[in-house]
Structures are given as structure tokens and as C-alpha cells.
Amino acid sequence: MNRILIATDPAGGVWQYSIDLARGLSRLGIETVLAVFGPALPERQRALALQVPGLSLVETGLDRLAEGGEARAGAALARLAHDCDVDLIQLNDPALAAQTGFGMPVVIVHHSCAATWWEAVNGTVLPNALAWRTELVAAGLEAADAVVTPTAAFGESVMQCYGLAEMPRTVHHGRVPFRGPHAAQHDFVFTAGRLWDEAKNLDTLDAAAGEVAVPVRAAGPLRGPNGSEILFDNIDCLGAIDQDSLTRWLAARPVFVSAALYEPFGLSVLEAASAGCALILSDIPTFRELWDGVAVFVPARDEHGFTDAISALVADDFERAVIGRAARDRAARFTPDAMAAQMANIYRGLLPAVRRPILAAARAA
């Protein structure tokens, strides 16, 4: 195996995941063709991608979310895979495999979906009006040669939601360890993500923010893709910030809080933990899987519980430092190299022996 094709989107955690994975695979001698959907990339993102050794960037210009977009995008990816002579395709959206035969092994990394989001946020199945999306995702998962999820807890939700015969394989996401200079520890609360997303449960944190004695700051977009915008009474919103700005905020080691109702993994939590931030997290299965023993857990909708946890931790410098160090040590397990080694082993198992790499990847895993 010399080359794989990874199909990705230009925004959010899937983009960062794809770049980190490609960088980790390059250290195992595996080249990547990164096929990006949507409009032209900003120059900063394009430059970031092209810094990865062995990565070929293809901006498809395709809108996979338009009507019939998955079928057109799937057909385009099949042609691209043939033209680039790749050994295997990795999709980060199962729907792309629903109507396309690729003629080679297909790995689907399932990061999130509307059906599991809806169930976590609303406690019910997805409405009939949106069932078509679930059907596409289900068909794509069924067509895959391997399905991967970033946590076992999310994998269980996916298996139950889509009636899969087998549990998806678990490969935890990885990020490069925090490398910013540490500033003096500051007394404020920080969170980051898609602030408009109902699943982030920012209303609960906003209510708690009105009852604590330190500022609560949030980084991320306030306006969703449908144009709706969320407003807060007590949270200081920073808007969308770049990675350098995020690094500067985390360098002060604030108390990092996530009250999420739904989080298949949580890259922002990993970045905060890597910086040595003490974590206060909603008590949901994915967070327990990753951070049990190194974070303070609060029932997701318990605003008074978050108030009490924040107030207690901000007032106790020793406990805050202990929890922050424990979170940093746990975060050190989740690296791009570890993620890439596990993915490479999955790829190997899908290829004829003659095309398997001489692992490097097996030893690293």
C-alpha cells in the first residue's frame, strides 16, 4: 500500500482530523490524496495541507450537500481514485458510498450524523421528513469494508441506530501535543466549538455563568448554516478564532468546560487537556470513555451542578493544578501517530498481502 484517497470537508473537526491523519500516515510511508469538497480553500488552509509530506491536494469544487450531491461526489471520487492509482478510499461521510461502487476497499470513518445527534438532543428518532438522510447513511455504512468511529461509546450508538451487524472499530482521534508557551494560570472559564449547535448545550453553561465569580468565555461561530444565530446573557463570546489565538487562550490554563449533550469525540476538549487545563465535562458516555478519572463530571443539563463545580475548582488552585496535569497526561495518549498507526493496520487488513505495507505501522501500533 503506497497511497490512499481521503475525502474531506474544508471546515470543522473533520478537516483537522484529515490533516492530522495524513501527517501521521506520511511518517509510515503512506501517501495521501486529499479530496476536498466545497468552494476554494482559503490560502492558509491550502498552505497547511501542502506542508504535509506525500499529500496531494485536490479541490473538487463539488457541493456534496446539494440535492443529489452525494451521488455526483461519489462518482467523482471513484474517477479520481482510479486516476490517482490509490489502493484504498477513506470516506468521512457514509452517504458518499450509498450509491457508488468504487471497485476497491472503502473505509468509512463515521464522525457524527443527524440521527444520533437528534436522539441525543431530543431523545427521539429522527423525524420522517429527514429519514432520507438516515437511509443514505445506512446504505453507505452497509457498503463499507470497514466502519470506524472515534469512540466506542459513539460506535454503540451508531450500531443501534443503523442496525449494524457488527460494532464499528474504535480509533480515537489524535492531535499534536500543545506546544505553546504557558502563561500564568488565569481565573476564567473557557469553552470552544460550534456555539450555535444545540447539542453543545450552551444554554446550560450560560445559566451557570451568571452565578459564578469569574468570566466565562466561548470561542466559535455563533451563526449556524441555516442562518440562525444564538445569543447569550452571561457568556463572553469571542467568535470564531484561528489556531494561534486558541493556543494563546489555552496557554493561560483556564478551567475548560463542556456541557455537551452529544459529542462523538471532542477535539476541543483534547486540545484543552493537552494544554493542562482542568476539565469540567458533561457526564455523557463519550467523555467518560476518554476522560474518566481526570475530569470533573456533571449531569449535562444540571446548571447548578456546573455552577458548583466551576466555583469549587476556581477556588482551589491545588486541585485545579492536579486535575490539569492528569488531563494533560491522558491527552498525551491521543496523538496523530497513534491514530495513523491504528488506521494503517485497518487498511492493511483490507488489502491483498502483496499490496500491504511492511509495517512500520504494526510496530507503531
Side-chain angles (χ1 to χ4, degrees), residues 39-239:
L41 288 173
E43 189 53 44
R44 184 184 178 110
Q45 279 184 267
R46 184 179 296 110
L48 179 67
L50 293 176
Q51 289 172 6
V52 178
L55 184 148
S56 301
L57 181 64
V58 179
E59 298 182 58
T60 68
L62 294 169
D63 182 0
R64 66 176 183 82
L65 298 179
E67 185 175 354
E70 278 93 356
R72 290 191 295 273
L77 287 175
R79 292 191 297 271
L80 180 63
H82 179 269
D83 292 344
C84 294
D85 191 28
V86 302
D87 301 294
L88 178 145
I89 292 176
Q90 177 175 318
L91 303 176
N92 292 308
D93 175 8
L96 292 167
Q99 304 169 68
T100 304
F102 291 98
M104 64 183 63
V106 174
V107 175
I108 289 176
V109 180
H110 192 41
H111 301 271
S112 66
C113 59
T116 53
W117 181 97
W118 188 275
E119 183 177 8
V121 173
N122 300 295
T124 61
V125 298
L126 200 64
N128 289 335
L130 299 175
W132 63 271
R133 181 69 187 175
T134 300
E135 292 168 1
L136 276 178
V137 171
L141 293 171
E142 179 66 26
D145 295 286
V147 177
V148 177
T149 54
T151 50
F154 181 57
E156 290 180 7
S157 297
V158 171
M159 184 174 69
Q160 293 171 8
C161 183
Y162 294 100
L164 302 183
E166 297 180 357
M167 260 286 287
R169 307 183 201 191
T170 302
V171 177
H172 293 140
H173 288 342
R175 288 288 284 126
V176 175
F178 183 83
R179 290 176 178 162
H182 279 106
Q185 184 170 279
H186 284 55
D187 288 339
F188 66 96
V189 171
F190 191 75
T191 195
R194 298 185 305 272
L195 305 185
W196 52 265
D197 185 348
E198 188 180 350
K200 303 303 181 188
N201 195 26
L202 268 296
D203 286 344
T204 294
L205 184 56
D206 190 43
E211 302 297 325
V212 298
V214 295
V216 178
R217 300 188 170 103
L222 293 163
R223 187 182 297 274
N226 63 356
S228 62
E229 187 170 2
I230 191 167
L231 299 173
F232 300 109
D233 294 324
N234 303 301
I235 294 175
D236 177 16
C237 295
L238 306 174

Side-chain angles (χ1 to χ4, degrees), residues 4-76:
I4 69 166
L5 187 150
I6 299 175
T8 192
D9 291 305
V14 175
W15 167 261
Q16 188 61 63
Y17 161 84
S18 301
I19 294 295
D20 287 337
L21 176 60
R23 185 174 287 111
L25 291 173
S26 74
R27 287 191 276 269
L28 298 174
I30 300 172
E31 298 178 354
T32 53
V33 177
L34 191 65
V36 186
F37 299 112
L41 288 173
E43 189 53 44
R44 184 184 178 110
Q45 279 184 267
R46 184 179 296 110
L48 179 67
L50 293 176
Q51 289 172 6
V52 178
L55 184 148
S56 301
L57 181 64
V58 179
E59 298 182 58
T60 68
L62 294 169
D63 182 0
R64 66 176 183 82
L65 298 179
E67 185 175 354
E70 278 93 356
R72 290 191 295 273

Side-chain angles (χ1 to χ4, degrees), residues 304-315:
H304 299 297
F306 278 102
T307 298
D308 293 344
I310 291 168
S311 299
L313 205 50
V314 168

Side-chain angles (χ1 to χ4, degrees), residues 317-327:
D317 287 343
F318 178 78
E319 182 69 8
R320 181 173 162 190
V322 167
I323 293 175
R325 284 196 296 271

